Amino acid sequence: EDRLFRMAKKVSERYKHVQHQETLVRIKRASGHLRKVESMASSGEECAEILQQLSGECKIFCVNQSS
């Protein structure tokens, strides 16, 4: 099993998905947006402002995947 695991790990490292990096970038961007929303809600910002920030969150993940 150790040999099989090592072989699988080598293959995995060699063929990392390019999409993983793109996904990480989106997750980090979304995390920043969510921190901003949390801060806005905590400080009593207007609901419209918070909703606008949340719409940016949706755009991060809802963009056309082919572009």
Side-chain angles (χ1 to χ4, degrees), residues 33 37 50-60:
H33 276 266
V37 169
I50 294 171
L51 288 174
Q52 184 175 3
Q53 186 71 21
L54 283 173
S55 74
E57 182 74 21
C58 291
K59 290 177 186 174
I60 291 171

Side-chain angles (χ1 to χ4, degrees), residues 1-12:
E1 281 186 301
D2 288 319
R3 188 174 135 246
L4 182 59
F5 178 77
R6 285 192 307 269
M7 287 173 52
K9 188 174 179 183
K10 282 182 183 179
V11 169
S12 176

